[in-house]
Amino acid sequence: IPTRNIKIKYCTETGRVTVENDGTTIPVAMHQEHNMYVPTMVFGHLRTGENYDDKQKRYGGGRNGFGAKLCNIFSSEFTVRCIDSVNGQEFNQTWSDGMQTTSEPKITKTSLKNDRTEVSFIPDWKHFKMDKMNRAFVKYITMRALEIAACSPKDVKVYLNNQLLPVNNLGDYVSLYTEEPVTYVKISKYWEVAIYPDNGVDKIEVPSFVNGICTSRGGEHVKHAMNPVYKYLATIASKKVKGIKVRSNDVKSFTNAFVNALIINPEFESQTKEMLTTDEKEFGSKCDWNDRKLKKFNKSGVLEKVEAWAIAKAGQKLQQKVKSKCRISIPKLYDANMAGRNPNESQQCYIIFAEGDSAQTSALSGLEIVGRKYWGCFPLKGKPLNVRDANSKQLLENTEVQNICKILG
């Protein structure tokens, strides 16, 4: 039975956290080998995981069976309730004092037609140097509930304290991070990506996900999914900003990228599972991009950020090349006497760009009347370069453009 509802509750007064779902529960039956109820073994005995066989394909995140038991160990009270509609039985059992004390499991008959699993616990606050549930803990529970909603199938509803969370996919989740436009692309049932533009300064670390686990430091799945996107946008930007080679890393600097992936038998850097280390050949699927899906990122806002940066970079190169001292020496330049003297005087100066030497002769006749204190003149050779269509390389190599930049300062 697939899960359709996940309900998470917390109470700041009692410090209790409750997590419930309506998918297929753990069978309420005696384990033949260990002579105990299966839920007792799953939640109250270490190293009872089922994911040790690497030959078996699994899309879960756990492996050694520590997760639920560690929650039990670090709780002052831990209660499990399982409704098994197949066997017609309900299971209830409570542990306390960090799993050191336990009650006998209570088994009752049930006529409920739907399975349910409910885990309720009160953290042992002294282990966390706390005396009660505080705002930071509430924020963490809220964050985790939103992550669950982002990683769950679209038809799964996630509730936090009886409120339905407005997150149905990764795109909805990422929208909570920013007011910038979010571009969301679902590549397949195994891969989805969402991005929004970054200013390239004070870049924040954003999470990614593997099988519902938050990989806060990314990993191989992020590289596999995003490298083709960065390369594609870099190629587009290089064509738009002629003469500047935009690299994939340049695009990456202006992109906040979120990736959600389902990976077969994932391997992580450590038990905290902050980084995926599984080689992409062992993912079990590929993040297959095509032109139609890649083009969705053209209007993501990232290209505009990259292009503005590239243009500024080209301008810096040109500025460095034409940088000159206060007084410049350019053939045929009749400079204003006060040009470059000091800011106040320079601001009052004018330059006449004449169309060739003959036109300059006429302009110089006029300067005899107004004087050369604030007026200058320079003849242009032929038709000037159209800088609108020119690339940065052409600008850097064009003597006329360089002379104009030097004259204008």
Side-chain angles (χ1 to χ4, degrees), residues 107-177:
I107 311 298
T108 55
K109 291 184 179 181
T110 180
S111 58
L112 294 175
K113 301 300 182 183
N114 297 315
D115 283 13
R116 184 180 303 169
T117 306
E118 180 183 296
V119 175
S120 176
F121 62 95
I122 301 175
D124 194 344
W125 301 112
K126 69 176 181 291
H127 289 305
F128 308 99
K129 298 181 180 179
M130 299 163 59
D131 54 10
K132 62 179 180 179
M133 184 182 292
N134 57 20
R135 286 188 298 176
F137 189 89
V138 170
K139 286 182 179 180
Y140 180 81
I141 291 291
T142 303
M143 178 187 71
R144 187 58 190 141
L146 291 168
E147 291 173 351
I148 293 170
C151 297
S152 298
K154 192 173 182 179
D155 55 357
V156 175
K157 295 180 173 60
V158 180
Y159 297 82
L160 181 63
N161 279 4
N162 299 319
Q163 295 292 318
L164 177 64
L165 296 179
V167 174
N168 291 314
N169 56 43
L170 186 67
D172 293 340
Y173 172 78
V174 174
S175 296
L176 301 176
Y177 273 75

Side-chain angles (χ1 to χ4, degrees), residues 79-100:
T79 300
V80 174
R81 179 186 181 215
C82 299
I83 296 176
D84 184 350
S85 61
V86 175
N87 293 321
Q89 297 191 96
E90 178 177 331
F91 172 95
N92 284 274
Q93 189 169 12
T94 298
W95 290 261
S96 57
D97 300 325
M99 207 169 75
Q100 296 184 64

Side-chain angles (χ1 to χ4, degrees), residues 1-8 18-26 43 81-83 114-119 148 152 156-159:
I1 303 172
T3 298
R4 290 289 178 262
N5 297 280
I6 298 173
K7 298 180 180 180
I8 303 168
T18 303
V19 182
E20 173 191 327
N21 74 67
D22 59 359
T24 300
T25 192
I26 299 166
F43 291 99
R81 179 186 181 215
C82 299
I83 296 176
N114 297 315
D115 283 13
R116 184 180 303 169
T117 306
E118 180 183 296
V119 175
I148 293 170
S152 298
V156 175
K157 295 180 173 60
V158 180
Y159 297 82

Side-chain angles (χ1 to χ4, degrees), residues 65-84:
F66 283 141
K69 272 78 86 175
L70 289 174
C71 184
N72 193 343
I73 289 170
F74 283 95
S75 296
S76 57
E77 183 183 306
F78 185 92
T79 300
V80 174
R81 179 186 181 215
C82 299
I83 296 176
D84 184 350

Side-chain angles (χ1 to χ4, degrees), residues 130-303:
M130 299 163 59
D131 54 10
K132 62 179 180 179
M133 184 182 292
N134 57 20
R135 286 188 298 176
F137 189 89
V138 170
K139 286 182 179 180
Y140 180 81
I141 291 291
T142 303
M143 178 187 71
R144 187 58 190 141
L146 291 168
E147 291 173 351
I148 293 170
C151 297
S152 298
K154 192 173 182 179
D155 55 357
V156 175
K157 295 180 173 60
V158 180
Y159 297 82
L160 181 63
N161 279 4
N162 299 319
Q163 295 292 318
L164 177 64
L165 296 179
V167 174
N168 291 314
N169 56 43
L170 186 67
D172 293 340
Y173 172 78
V174 174
S175 296
L176 301 176
Y177 273 75
T178 180
E179 294 181 358
E180 294 277 359
V182 174
T183 304
Y184 166 71
V185 180
K186 187 176 181 65
I187 298 92
S188 67
K189 68 177 182 179
Y190 302 104
W191 295 90
E192 55 183 342
V193 168
I195 71 169
Y196 67 86
D198 188 271
N199 59 13
V201 182
D202 300 327
K203 192 173 177 65
I204 64 171
E205 285 196 5
V206 298
S208 57
F209 304 94
V210 171
N211 301 358
I213 296 170
C214 177
T215 46
S216 58
R217 293 170 52 213
E220 297 302 315
H221 60 306
V222 178
K223 296 177 185 177
H224 174 70
M226 292 307 302
N227 282 349
V229 178
Y230 296 144
K231 184 177 180 181
Y232 168 78
L233 292 177
T235 302
I236 298 296
S238 295
K239 291 179 181 178
K240 289 190 174 184
V241 186
K242 300 175 183 178
I244 292 290
K245 178 66 175 178
V246 179
R247 303 168 302 167
S248 295
N249 279 341
D250 298 328
V251 176
K252 184 178 179 180
S253 299
F254 294 93
T255 309
N256 286 309
F258 298 71
V259 176
N260 182 28
L262 290 175
I263 304 295
I264 289 178
N265 304 344
E267 295 287 341
F268 301 93
E269 184 184 48
S270 67
Q271 187 63 31
T272 57
K273 301 177 182 177
E274 296 176 340
M275 179 183 290
L276 182 77
T277 58
T278 303
D279 189 277
E280 66 175 59
K281 293 183 291 186
E282 301 173 0
F283 283 174
S285 63
K286 288 185 177 181
C287 186
D288 285 325
W289 291 102
N290 55 42
D291 288 341
R292 180 179 62 83
K293 289 176 179 176
L294 285 171
K295 285 179 180 178
K296 292 183 179 181
F297 295 111
N298 288 4
K299 297 181 179 180
S300 64
V302 172
L303 274 177

